[in-house]
Amino acid sequence: MWKIIAGRLLSFVPTIIIASMILFLAVNVVPGSAARAVLGIQATPQAIKRFEHKHGLDRPLYIQYADWAGKAIKGDFGTSFQNSVAVGPEVAKRIPVTILLASLAFGIAILIAVPLGALAGMRHQKMSDGTITTLATLFGSTPNFWLATLLIYLFALKFGWFPTGGYVPFQDSVLGSLKSLCLPAISLGLVSSGLLIRIMRAAVIETMESNHIDTAISKGVGPRRLFFSHVLRNSIIPFLTVGAVEFGFLVGSVVIIEDVFRIPGIGSLVLVGIINRDYPVLLAASMAITLIVLLVNFLADLSAQLIDPRQVKNVRN
Amino acid sequence: MKRINWKKFGLVTFSLPLVILIIMIASMAEYVAPFDPYFLDVMVMLEGPSEKHWMGTDELGRDVFSRIIFGAQVSLQVGVCAVLVGLTGGVFVGVLAAYYGGYVDQILMRFMDIVFCFPAILLAVILMANFGTSIFNAMLAIGIIFIPGFARLTRAITQTVQRQAFLEAAVCLGLPGHKIIFREILPNVLGPLLVEATVAFSYAVLLESALSFLGLGSQPPEPSWGNMINIGRGFIDQAPWISLAPGLALFFTVFIFNLFGDGLRDILDPKLNE
Amino acid sequence: MKPKTKWSMRQVAIMFSAAILAFSGSTFASEGKYGGHLIAAFSADPGGFDPAMGPSGMSHVVIEQVYGTLLNLDHDAVPYAGLAESWEQSEDGLKWTFKLRPDLKFHNGEALTAEDVVFTFNRIMPEDSGYAYRSQIETIESVVAEDDLTVVFNLKTVTGPFEIYMAFPGSSIVPKDLVESGHDLNAEPVGSGPFKFVSYTPRDSIKFVKNEAYYESGKPYFDEMTYRIVADPTALANGMKSGEINFSNEVPPKDWNSITSQSNMVDAALEGSRYYWMLPNHERGVLGDPLVRQAIAHALNREAIVKAAFFGQATPFTGGVIPEWNWGYADLDVFEPAGNITKAKELMSKAGVASGTPISLMMVSSWPPMMSMAPIIQANLAAIGFDAKIETMEVPRYWDEVWGTSNFDLTVMYWLSPLADPDDFVTNTYATTSAVNVQKGGSKEMDDLMMAAKSAVTKAERKELYRQQQELSLTDMDVIPVVNGWVLTAHTNKLKNFKPMRTGFLKTLKDAWFD
């Protein structure tokens, strides 16, 4: 088992490095120089030159990367062009917020997907199966930013049950924190549930069609309990693999949702970085998001391999 | 006698007319829309739905309904072009990787895997900041994001096809490399690719709207669903129809095309749906 | 040579009332109530808190609360005594002497003396200091401390706006010993202002606490102050409506009516100096002809722009760019608010411009007022015979690809003048050497006029010269003035005695209290 873990880790590290290179290249080729973005209308040629020299932007790209990477490993992600504040601590403070939001959203997605998917599977080929499958497509087709706007309009503005945005830190008030994350989590979770409904449904159908049930019944185990334990066994691997990919989509989508709801996570930081051409911020925030997605995929993949390597191959195709 | 399972055509039969309707409305926007999407009259700004303006007017007095129809044109254009870009790039890479195998395969697919790992929106946002915000660049950026997905699919299917017997027959007959690719491999890849393309199309429409919503796609005053929803947000309490109506159109379009994709999957390979 | 001593009206009034009170034997009680927490909302992050660093406007709103300046501006932009209790200008205008108040202290307890003033200016005067507003202080030859409480500025040329410059946040006095010991003012400002800096949480808030030892005894009134940073204008508006935020001078125009119609809100909108002007690129075709530029200026329907882009919260320019509230205003009634297409067309035919000449209007897509006024301007241009196209670009790219390289036919820009001196309104746009002059206009005549106006000794002389400058600007039509946006300030009705400032700054917060 340790061999598998070690092997996976070995391929994980170069992936991160290459990903960071790609991001660095992408970010630094962004036109619209950072100098002008910060100085705006007061950007005289001397001011621009001074700015670029101060931040080392006049050096060749590979040197800039080496410098950045070297510092990044030690945890120093530079300072924001905009407000001269260290980027590392800011990103570190925001990561838990994004993870909380993404986890809540994913939880909502599972809460919706499991019962609906199970129902669809058990009523396979009947009317309700088709309805639920169509519902799954409906959920998956929902534009999350539009859903967010609709939810804000109805539940925040009209009924006043939730705040229109902003985030209450978890330490300050658990209830307040959950309330401020509720609408954003629904916007994200509902859309993700679409795919997860299908996974659940497929697992249930396979369980029903397999032979294990007959064998188990002959052994004398209660039908309901064994049914659900088999469904669990069949669904865990697909949920892990596909769920990890879906989680990746979700984390990417926080870039939009955090902006709409003004949640101070790393998603909104990415946008701030782009709009202000604040390279250190953009780089650090993008790196953080990518790292989270890679990590989740890595862990899910690893767990799946450890649990049942055969099924992993099946689901992949 | 072969029994044709007519049930599998159900979804396509239902969604195809709607798909065609959307495409026709979008292509003939100039004839269908009652107003010029750029024509503004500050006197009637922020008015609700009425007989004259079916979906009301926006913050500059423009007809929301007409702008939604022209927005459809934008969305569909981007969708088609993005998918074409993705297909071209993806198929090229996928076939190359599968055909040559070995190091070529490893390097290409490794690179595709890494790009695939980046969340699409993150990549799209950074690429758009890179290229500059315009509809054309949105097509390019979204297309690039699709390449790994199509490459993977093409490679997998090509490998399956490669293992099949008739390919060996072709090799025995002495057909040159590229002829094998075109005559034997590609036709078998087309089916699943078509399904994937439809799904990608819907996603492209969604991504384009998301980008414009963030201000990184088509810019105002161009009528695009994304930036209409975004600008409408500022007026959500005074005039909710400005953002809710285009959103509904977006939702509907993506849904119908996804249903169509599901339907195609039903026909071409029902097993995939389960 | 008899020096002219300047006593501000305020000082005379105080002496007078003090005298009366002394006679009547009553104690001079302050009217305001103490306590309370002001929560103000702003849309941008500050760039740092060292007055020498600038240039972000948001930095200045913090700097003016934490630091002190030799002089302050009141709400009508009239200078009065700040750290200096009196000041005088020499007869030839080349020497300014400031007498500091005794017993001034920085927030860390250290004394503020003439030494600190000299240090402050020597820090920003050198060419490589990086100070963004060097143009204000480049006429200073030297700064000398005659004794602990007397500072003398020796100027190379007469500088009309000198008092205004001394009230500018960039001229804030910094603690010499602290800075020399290596303290980073940019991260943690220490000054002598009405409020002490407590903390800065990026993209979230800046916190202040009352300076109990402020030299204006009895002020400020609030216990604490928080500047909340809310980047999304809709969120800002919502925060005001819900009461989380009780003050803002950045209310989005589209929400102005719904916020001020609430019974617990006070409308404190003021015409300031947030002016919008259109830049015609003098090197592009017909735009090099002043007649064409005049035609465009007459064709603009400024009334419609005020309604559509500013929801009524702006003043159309009818003549020169110096607004009516300023002493430099010249009542030149040249433009009709709704535009005069007939006159514009006459000018176009006089210039011999063919009908259907293509022209492009490049607007910044990130700024809603620009997007709203674009179609109106396009229609106006079309009405006088242009085939006008709107092009858009978002902000960072715009600076690089349009502004910096003057790659445009027509574009529109806005400027918040923080100085309230006529020189600041005109020099940046009209001077041939100005970095903001991307329209490639300007003339020696204009430059000379502005230089003379800036260095005239008396206000009356300057006013006449600015009148001439504005008249010239309307015949040359280097740039086309559009509208002057108002500073949209709204606050809770519990806040009393707050006088909004023409400059858009918030120094007058120290005079306000909660009921």
Side-chain angles (χ1 to χ4, degrees):
Chain A
M1 171 174 102
W2 293 111
K3 254 214 287 197
I4 303 179
I5 298 182
R8 283 281 187 262
L9 249 157
L10 222 62
S11 57
F12 186 54
V13 172
T15 310
I16 298 184
I17 297 181
I18 299 180
S20 76
M21 282 191 211
I22 296 178
L23 268 180
F24 192 84
L25 193 67
V27 161
N28 273 287
V29 176
V30 172
S33 74
R36 281 199 197 270
V38 173
L39 300 170
I41 201 172
Q42 265 142 338
T44 57
Q46 306 99 296
I48 294 179
K49 236 199 276 200
R50 203 183 353 237
F51 180 92
E52 296 194 334
H53 186 73
K54 176 171 166 208
H55 295 280
L57 297 175
D58 42 6
R59 300 171 296 171
L61 218 55
Y62 62 90
I63 294 189
Q64 288 188 48
Y65 175 73
D67 188 37
W68 177 83
K71 291 198 184 125
I73 293 185
K74 294 188 222 135
D76 173 16
F77 287 90
T79 57
S80 155
F81 287 166
Q82 243 200 317
N83 55 26
S84 315
V85 173
V87 177
E90 206 184 340
V91 171
K93 226 172 33 159
R94 288 176 174 242
I95 289 183
V97 179
T98 300
I99 294 193
L100 184 60
L101 174 60
S103 313
L104 275 175
F106 198 67
I108 291 181
I110 295 194
L111 226 73
I112 299 178
V114 168
L116 281 180
L119 199 65
M122 290 192 282
R123 308 245 190 282
H124 184 41
Q125 305 288 21
K126 298 210 189 89
M127 189 62 156
S128 27
D129 177 22
T131 320
I132 293 184
T133 316
T134 311
L135 206 66
T137 311
L138 194 77
F139 288 169
S141 313
T142 316
N144 54 23
F145 50 93
W146 173 74
L147 182 61
T149 312
L150 187 63
L151 289 176
I152 292 179
Y153 178 61
L154 285 176
F155 299 109
L157 285 175
K158 277 269 160 354
F159 299 154
W161 296 344
F162 297 97
T164 55
Y167 173 67
V168 176
F170 208 63
Q171 312 87 289
D172 289 359
S173 151
V174 176
L175 189 64
S177 177
L178 289 176
K179 252 172 95 168
S180 59
L181 288 182
C182 189
L183 293 184
I186 295 179
S187 310
L188 288 168
L190 192 74
V191 182
S192 291
S193 71
L195 190 57
L196 295 178
I197 291 178
R198 282 166 199 261
I199 303 292
M200 188 67 197
R201 175 180 170 274
V204 168
I205 291 175
E206 204 195 308
T207 310
M208 289 192 348
E209 289 177 353
S210 77
N211 298 327
H212 295 302
I213 299 206
D214 301 330
T215 327
I217 291 183
S218 68
K219 281 201 193 146
V221 186
R224 176 158 283 180
R225 213 184 68 184
L226 79 87
F227 180 71
F228 280 118
S229 76
H230 272 88
V231 168
L232 192 70
R233 248 221 353 235
N234 277 332
S235 59
I236 254 213
I237 301 291
F239 254 103
L240 267 180
T241 27
V242 179
V245 175
E246 190 59 43
F247 193 79
F249 276 142
L250 211 132
V251 172
S253 303
V254 300
V255 169
I256 307 180
I257 295 298
E258 281 182 9
D259 183 51
V260 176
F261 287 97
R262 290 170 286 118
I263 311 263
I266 33 178
S268 45
L269 200 58
V270 167
L271 276 178
V272 165
I274 284 207
I275 289 175
N276 298 312
R277 297 292 189 266
D278 197 337
Y279 299 159
V281 167
L282 180 57
L283 209 48
S286 308
M287 211 50 239
I289 290 187
T290 309
L291 223 85
I292 293 180
V293 173
L294 284 176
L295 202 69
V296 167
N297 273 300
F298 172 69
L299 289 172
D301 196 37
L302 194 64
S303 323
Q305 283 282 43
L306 292 174
I307 293 179
D308 191 349
R310 293 171 302 139
Q311 282 209 46
V312 177
K313 249 185 132 191
N314 279 339
V315 178
R316 282 264 177 79
N317 299 338
Chain B
M1 192 169 77
K2 216 164 46 159
R3 262 194 83 216
I4 306 175
N5 179 8
W6 289 109
K7 260 218 283 216
K8 69 178 180 178
F9 287 94
L11 213 48
V12 170
T13 325
F14 172 70
S15 53
L16 188 60
L18 290 169
V19 165
I20 296 181
L21 181 69
I22 295 178
I23 295 179
M24 280 181 54
I25 292 181
S27 358
M28 299 196 299
E30 289 87 355
Y31 303 103
V32 177
F35 288 86
D36 176 347
Y38 294 96
F39 172 70
L40 58 86
D41 181 4
V42 237
M43 294 299 137
V44 297
M45 62 185 193
L46 302 175
E47 279 185 5
S50 63
E51 249 199 69
K52 193 164 175 225
H53 298 281
W54 294 352
M55 291 191 187
T57 58
D58 66 8
E59 75 284 359
L60 284 179
R62 295 176 295 208
D63 181 42
V64 173
F65 182 63
S66 306
R67 284 175 68 77
I68 289 180
I69 294 185
F70 276 91
Q73 203 172 57
V74 171
S75 295
L76 263 56
Q77 272 175 352
V78 173
V80 167
C81 294
V83 168
L84 283 177
V85 169
L87 266 179
T88 321
V91 167
F92 181 67
V93 170
V95 167
L96 228 64
Y99 187 71
Y100 288 108
Y103 275 126
V104 176
D105 182 24
Q106 289 284 0
I107 295 180
L108 276 177
M109 285 335 274
R110 216 43 204 321
F111 192 66
M112 291 288 108
D113 277 346
I114 295 182
V115 176
F116 198 69
C117 270
F118 285 109
I121 307 213
L122 186 65
L123 211 55
V125 158
I126 295 182
L127 283 176
M128 283 311 285
N130 240 309
F131 297 161
T133 55
S134 74
I135 293 184
F136 178 74
N137 291 337
M139 296 174 189
L140 207 62
I142 299 176
I144 290 179
I145 294 172
F146 285 160
I147 292 181
F150 282 122
R152 260 198 195 170
L153 183 65
T154 316
R155 175 179 171 274
I157 297 175
T158 312
Q159 284 178 333
T160 321
V161 166
Q162 275 174 327
R163 287 188 219 114
Q164 286 177 355
F166 59 89
L167 201 58
E168 290 176 18
V171 171
C172 285
L173 286 174
L175 281 173
H178 61 273
K179 281 231 176 101
I180 296 185
I181 293 178
F182 277 108
R183 285 223 205 133
E184 306 294 343
I185 299 180
L186 280 185
N188 286 284
V189 162
L190 240 48
L193 268 186
L194 192 61
V195 174
E196 184 81 11
T198 319
V199 172
F201 176 79
S202 317
Y203 196 55
V205 170
L206 221 78
L207 261 185
E208 189 277 323
S209 294
L211 285 173
S212 324
F213 179 80
L214 295 173
L216 292 169
S218 69
Q219 300 287 321
E222 264 178 317
S224 141
W225 292 337
N227 71 42
M228 285 169 77
I229 299 178
N230 186 29
I231 294 183
R233 261 200 314 151
F235 298 93
I236 193 77
D237 48 353
Q238 304 172 42
W241 53 88
I242 301 182
S243 59
L244 295 182
L248 220 62
L250 175 63
F251 186 21
F252 182 69
T253 305
V254 173
F255 179 51
I256 294 297
F257 274 94
N258 273 338
L259 275 186
F260 185 62
D262 279 352
L264 281 182
R265 208 182 276 133
D266 278 348
I267 299 178
L268 295 172
D269 191 354
K271 273 218 290 283
L272 275 180
N273 228 357
E274 301 181 11
Chain C
M1 185 163 75
K2 214 166 155 234
K4 287 192 293 245
T5 312
K6 274 215 171 66
W7 291 94
S8 67
M9 283 302 296
R10 201 158 177 264
Q11 286 177 296
V12 173
I14 289 180
M15 279 179 33
F16 193 66
S17 39
I20 294 194
L21 287 168
F23 272 98
S24 61
S26 60
T27 46
F28 187 49
S30 116
E31 321 158 29
K33 293 210 188 130
Y34 289 97
H37 182 171
L38 186 84
I39 304 178
F42 298 91
S43 59
D45 268 82
F49 307 118
D50 186 336
M53 301 257 159
S56 140
M58 187 57 205
S59 295
H60 289 152
V61 180
V62 174
I63 288 173
E64 64 173 346
Q65 302 299 340
V66 179
Y67 295 90
T69 40
L70 290 174
L71 301 177
N72 289 329
L73 290 185
D74 72 6
H75 55 279
D76 264 330
V78 174
Y80 66 94
L83 292 174
E85 63 181 4
S86 69
W87 68 102
E88 58 191 32
Q89 181 189 23
S90 61
E91 188 108 3
D92 63 359
L94 290 175
K95 188 162 125 165
W96 288 84
T97 311
F98 291 85
K99 283 232 177 335
L100 295 175
R101 297 168 196 264
D103 298 324
L104 286 170
K105 296 233 184 309
F106 285 108
H107 295 154
N108 63 351
E110 303 241 335
L112 193 160
T113 64
E115 232 185 69
D116 299 293
V117 178
V118 172
F119 174 76
T120 299
F121 284 94
N122 280 333
R123 200 169 169 245
I124 50 179
M125 272 157 52
E127 267 198 52
D128 59 352
S129 67
Y131 183 50
Y133 298 94
R134 270 198 75 249
S135 57
Q136 293 178 13
I137 50 174
E138 60 188 0
T139 54
I140 302 180
E141 174 99 53
S142 64
V143 190
V144 178
E146 274 190 358
D147 58 52
D148 262 354
L149 295 178
T150 312
V151 186
V152 173
F153 290 84
N154 295 308
L155 303 180
K156 299 178 222 173
T157 53
V158 179
T159 311
F162 192 71
E163 288 164 322
I164 305 269
Y165 294 158
M166 290 298 108
F168 183 64
S171 310
S172 293
I173 308 303
V174 302
K176 169 171 188 239
D177 291 336
L178 201 60
V179 174
E180 282 184 332
S181 74
H183 180 98
D184 183 14
L185 285 179
N186 213 29
E188 202 190 317
V190 174
S192 52
F195 289 94
K196 292 195 205 181
F197 174 80
V198 173
S199 67
Y200 166 48
T201 314
R203 301 174 226 286
D204 182 66
S205 61
I206 306 161
K207 291 202 185 347
F208 307 85
V209 87
K210 169 178 172 171
N211 176 11
E212 303 283 353
Y214 189 51
Y215 64 79
E216 270 187 70
S217 70
K219 297 203 181 147
Y221 296 91
F222 320 132
D223 287 333
E224 28 173 349
M225 233 176 28
T226 302
Y227 283 179
R228 291 254 308 268
I229 300 168
V230 186
D232 179 27
T234 313
L236 205 151
N238 285 336
M240 294 203 79
K241 289 186 202 162
S242 70
E244 285 169 54
I245 294 170
N246 51 30
F247 181 98
S248 177
N249 67 353
E250 293 187 20
V251 178
K254 64 173 169 67
D255 296 297
W256 179 252
N257 285 316
S258 61
I259 290 180
T260 49
S261 60
Q262 279 184 213
S263 55
N264 63 343
M265 280 292 176
V266 168
D267 164 351
L270 192 67
E271 187 187 358
S273 43
R274 179 173 281 136
Y275 54 93
Y276 287 74
W277 76 100
M278 177 188 288
L279 293 86
N281 192 336
H282 292 225
E283 291 178 359
R284 291 277 174 99
V286 299
L287 290 174
D289 184 346
L291 285 175
V292 174
R293 301 195 294 263
Q294 281 181 31
I296 298 179
H298 282 280
L300 290 185
N301 184 347
R302 293 173 176 80
E303 226 169 50
I305 292 177
V306 166
K307 180 167 201 283
F310 298 93
F311 295 80
Q313 316 297 319
T315 313
F317 278 118
T318 48
V321 295
I322 301 178
E324 202 176 325
W325 56 265
N326 190 279
W327 56 264
Y329 177 65
D331 194 0
L332 305 163
D333 216 354
V334 171
F335 307 126
E336 268 168 64
N340 188 338
I341 299 287
T342 329
K343 178 159 185 177
K345 282 216 237 183
E346 274 172 33
L347 288 162
M348 288 287 278
S349 63
K350 211 159 128 189
V353 178
S355 171
T357 309
I359 200 168
S360 95
L361 176 66
M362 170 64 85
M363 305 294 265
V364 176
S365 55
S366 328
W367 297 335
M370 302 296 190
M371 286 296 99
S372 300
M373 66 171 85
I376 297 176
I377 299 178
Q378 182 191 33
N380 294 153
L381 290 169
I384 59 172
F386 279 111
D387 177 18
K389 238 181 49 141
I390 299 178
E391 286 177 39
T392 59
M393 198 177 281
E394 17 68 291
V395 145
R397 286 183 62 214
Y398 175 85
W399 291 128
D400 246 13
E401 296 172 38
V402 175
W403 186 263
T405 49
S406 294
N407 183 14
F408 58 89
D409 287 347
L410 290 169
T411 188
V412 178
M413 184 46 62
Y414 77 98
W415 175 269
L416 280 85
S417 166
L419 287 179
D421 183 278
D423 173 68
D424 194 54
F425 298 145
V426 305
T427 312
N428 286 298
T429 31
Y430 291 106
T432 48
T433 50
S434 162
V436 175
N437 182 348
V438 297
Q439 73 272 10
K440 312 260 196 224
S443 64
K444 184 162 184 326
E445 199 188 339
M446 178 70 89
D447 280 350
D448 289 342
L449 252 182
M450 294 193 294
M451 185 48 70
K454 182 174 176 184
S455 34
V457 183
T458 66
K459 213 183 234 185
E461 285 173 13
R462 294 186 70 202
K463 185 176 163 105
E464 173 50 35
L465 286 165
Y466 281 116
R467 160 173 270 276
Q468 292 176 22
Q469 186 270 338
Q470 290 180 86
E471 281 170 345
L472 179 62
S473 78
L474 291 167
T475 40
D476 276 359
M477 205 59 77
D478 254 19
V479 299
I480 300 162
V482 184
V483 300
N484 196 12
W486 297 352
V487 182
L488 294 180
T489 310
H491 58 79
T492 166
N493 59 0
K494 291 207 172 37
L495 187 70
K496 305 283 177 205
N497 199 36
F498 172 70
K499 302 209 176 66
M501 297 176 72
R502 295 275 182 199
T503 52
F505 280 132
L506 295 172
K507 198 77 183 190
T508 47
L509 276 177
K510 64 174 167 64
D511 305 318
W513 62 83
F514 278 108
D515 208 353

